[in-house]
Amino acid sequence: QIVILRKEGISYGCIAKKIKVPKSTVIDVWKKYLKSGSTDDKPRTGRPSSTTSRQDRVLTRMSLQDRYLTAPQLRLAWKETCDISVSTSTVKSRLASAGLNGRIT
């Protein structure tokens, strides 16, 4: 909306009053549009995953084969199978992302 109004030649101050945001926000959005051609956020970098999708599937299969294994037990079995060292919380989060939220301790 800011870009459309600015293209029509409306001043920063008038745009700010019209859409009820600070003038500095209007200026920042316009500068971002001029620089990148878009007002969308850029993709952010994050910490790389400690496991691959294949290793995650192995963990999921292990959990489904024996539903009574706890997260620490799964972690040890996963370490032996895939030769990776991860924390118990990583095991819990991988199982949760696979939809296995049951009794994970």
Side-chain angles (χ1 to χ4, degrees), residues 9 23-24 32 38 40 54-55 58 60 62-63 67-68 73 75 78 84 86 89 91 98 103 105:
K23 182 179 171 183
S24 60
K32 183 177 184 177
S38 173
D40 295 336
R54 185 175 189 165
Q55 291 169 332
V58 169
T60 303
M62 289 168 51
S63 178
R67 300 287 265 191
Y68 295 103
Q73 291 169 331
R75 182 181 69 82
W78 202 20
I84 54 170
V86 294
S89 61
V91 172
R103 301 180 333 154
T105 56

Side-chain angles (χ1 to χ4, degrees), residues 20-78:
K20 298 176 183 161
V21 296
K23 182 179 171 183
S24 60
T25 300
V26 175
I27 294 169
D28 289 344
V29 169
W30 181 248
K31 283 182 181 178
K32 183 177 184 177
Y33 175 76
L34 291 177
K35 185 176 181 181
S36 66
S38 173
T39 57
D40 295 336
D41 288 335
K42 294 179 182 174
R44 291 178 174 84
T45 59
R47 184 180 179 128
S49 179
S50 59
T51 61
T52 64
S53 59
R54 185 175 189 165
Q55 291 169 332
D56 293 345
R57 288 192 307 271
V58 169
L59 175 67
T60 303
R61 275 196 307 273
M62 289 168 51
S63 178
L64 290 172
Q65 285 173 356
D66 188 351
R67 300 287 265 191
Y68 295 103
L69 287 176
T70 62
Q73 291 169 331
L74 282 168
R75 182 181 69 82
L76 292 174
W78 202 20

